[in-house]
Amino acid sequence: MSSQGLLEGTYGTRMGMTEDTLSLLDRNRGSAELWDMAETKPSMEALERSVPGLYLSCFDMLLTEETTWLVKVSEAPPTLPVPMARMEPQEEPEQCPVIDSQEQGLSPGLEGQEEERSLEQVQSMVVGEVLKDIETACKLLNITPDPIEWSTGNVQKWLLWTEHLYRLPHAGKAFQELTGKDLCAMSEEEFRHRSPQCGDTLHAHLDIWKSAAWMKERCSVGETKTAGNEELWSEADSSCSGQPIHLWQFLRELLLKPHSYGRCIRWLNKEKGIFKIEDSAHVARLWGLRKNRPAMNYDKLSRSIRQYYKKGIIRKPDVSQRLVYQFVHPV
DNA sequence: GACAGGATGTG
DNA sequence: CACATCCTGTC
């Protein structure tokens, strides 16, 4: 089968598939209460924990529950729930011997591992494609990937785009005068209230955008891209020790991973503990992300660093330079 | 924009 | 207590 044929087949079945997979996503609304909480109080503490879980479980469901479905419709390859049908032609059904052998019950011992590995591959590919498609949409619409930053105009653009992509009835009016922040704080319930026909669908799509923005922030420095999934979660090392992370610990963490963060913070003299913040805005954004402080900036971060002067944790080096600090007790 | 540090509020 | 936020002022 030619990729042309695949494309057509995909396109033809897109609507049905989309609805199916979206309703799947909807069943995963376990975290909905958390969003509701965020609505009453914009402290989005629960967000950090809920989003990655939601994100992973979304694709988890796609990749587990739907596996048989994925295999069986190999004549008419499936679409994924997000605008990423374009990736399909690259993945011809003939290219999946693993899944085929599974269908025929071959080598049951290898099956599990092989399946797991191929699922992982598919998963990271899916994540990558989602991010890519969001990026494309952003360029096209001239909006930022993070919904929280959207103006009312941006929200309308996104609505038009999503409606167009999924042939949804126009619901822009129901969401007029809402900013991205408003939208992000809304529960699925409210979405449906404003648009009974497609509120849930829109809410599900917004969730994906939110998760993608979250992911992107986590690995935006460097070209970690999709491959760095494992590294992303192991990054929680010092923060999972229980207590909330301190700023100086966080800075140490970043300095420990020059591969990921070397562009925004690096050692000038590791032995003496002297480091330089190369991209103040970016470091501040990462700190804000870690602490769930969207309004964090370098002005505030540096004020916190200055509090360390008195405590003897961080100081200015003997020859004071812009954006250069020194740990008083280097490791 | 970086930097210094006071004042005040918060979980 | 460890910031987060805001602010005045200097370089």
Side-chain angles (χ1 to χ4, degrees):
Chain A
M1 191 186 280
S2 73
S3 37
Q4 185 66 41
L6 283 176
L7 241 185
E8 282 166 17
T10 300
Y11 193 72
T13 54
R14 175 182 250 187
M15 280 306 285
M17 297 300 187
T18 303
E19 279 167 20
D20 270 353
T21 42
L22 276 175
S23 67
L24 252 180
L25 287 178
D26 281 344
R27 267 194 269 142
N28 187 46
R29 280 307 84 128
S31 55
E33 318 91 64
L34 296 173
W35 297 105
D36 290 343
M37 279 171 54
E39 173 205 346
T40 53
K41 204 178 184 186
S43 104
M44 305 198 173
E45 224 148 75
L47 210 132
E48 174 157 348
R49 283 186 300 276
S50 73
V51 168
L54 164 69
Y55 186 77
L56 288 176
S57 52
C58 276
F59 293 110
D60 233 54
M61 301 188 77
L62 265 176
L63 297 166
T64 52
E65 280 190 36
E66 293 296 287
T67 303
T68 42
W69 165 76
L70 231 148
V71 173
K72 280 174 182 162
V73 289
S74 52
E75 298 104 8
T79 341
L80 293 159
V82 211
M84 53 184 152
R86 275 168 284 133
M87 72 181 266
E88 290 303 318
Q90 296 164 358
E91 217 212 9
E92 311 234 353
E94 293 85 0
Q95 298 277 25
C96 309
V98 175
I99 300 179
D100 278 347
S101 71
Q102 178 202 344
E103 266 294 291
Q104 292 154 21
L106 290 178
S107 54
L110 272 168
E111 185 190 301
Q113 298 171 7
E114 286 284 299
E115 185 186 358
E116 232 173 88
R117 202 193 311 155
S118 80
L119 285 184
E120 268 173 32
Q121 283 171 358
V122 175
Q123 182 174 1
S124 71
M125 205 165 69
V126 167
V127 173
E129 289 301 320
V130 171
L131 293 177
K132 216 191 289 171
D133 276 297
I134 286 178
E135 211 166 27
T136 306
C138 286
K139 276 183 196 153
L140 222 75
L141 304 173
N142 191 26
I143 60 175
T144 63
D146 194 348
I148 212 126
E149 295 173 27
W150 292 347
S151 66
T152 54
N154 293 347
V155 168
Q156 290 298 312
K157 277 191 202 173
W158 175 80
L159 283 168
L160 273 170
W161 168 257
T162 309
E163 287 156 5
H164 170 258
L165 213 60
Y166 296 97
R167 317 263 168 87
L168 302 171
H170 182 57
K173 275 189 202 126
F175 297 87
Q176 234 159 18
E177 100 280 327
L178 286 177
T179 65
K181 207 173 176 179
D182 298 330
L183 218 58
C184 288
M186 278 168 59
S187 65
E188 191 191 5
E189 201 76 329
E190 285 174 275
F191 263 82
R192 220 175 307 149
H193 184 250
R194 286 184 184 252
S195 170
Q197 312 102 309
C198 57
D200 46 356
T201 307
L202 290 170
H203 183 260
H205 277 288
L206 186 68
D207 256 1
I208 290 168
W209 278 66
K210 283 198 269 193
S211 305
W214 190 91
M215 282 283 283
K216 217 173 174 184
E217 274 304 326
R218 296 271 316 198
C219 58
S220 57
V221 207
E223 43 280 84
T224 346
K225 262 185 140 181
T226 54
N229 260 357
E230 330 77 23
E231 210 188 19
L232 270 178
W233 308 123
S234 73
E235 185 188 306
D237 43 17
S238 71
S239 52
C240 64
S241 55
Q243 301 307 305
I245 189 170
H246 289 194
L247 176 56
W248 63 269
Q249 291 176 314
F250 176 75
L251 294 174
R252 273 239 154 88
E253 251 184 47
L254 298 189
L255 286 161
L256 223 63
K257 298 183 172 76
H259 179 70
S260 302
Y261 304 108
R263 280 184 193 76
C264 62
I265 185 171
R266 66 186 178 90
W267 293 114
L268 288 189
N269 185 332
K270 191 170 181 180
E271 286 67 44
K272 290 184 179 171
I274 301 174
F275 62 95
K276 176 165 187 179
I277 296 172
E278 300 281 3
D279 186 339
S280 59
H282 202 284
V283 173
R285 213 171 336 125
L286 291 171
W287 176 234
L289 218 62
R290 175 65 74 92
K291 292 287 292 289
N292 282 317
R293 292 282 151 191
M296 182 52 63
N297 56 30
Y298 182 68
D299 196 41
K300 289 182 269 196
L301 183 146
S302 63
R303 182 71 192 90
S304 293
I305 292 181
R306 268 174 260 133
Q307 301 280 21
Y308 288 146
Y309 294 173
K310 256 195 307 191
K311 299 178 190 169
I313 297 172
I314 289 178
R315 65 183 185 91
K316 269 299 198 183
D318 297 323
V319 274
S320 182
Q321 304 165 68
R322 272 194 144 206
L323 296 166
V324 177
Y325 298 91
Q326 178 171 14
F327 284 105
V328 176
H329 303 294
V331 220

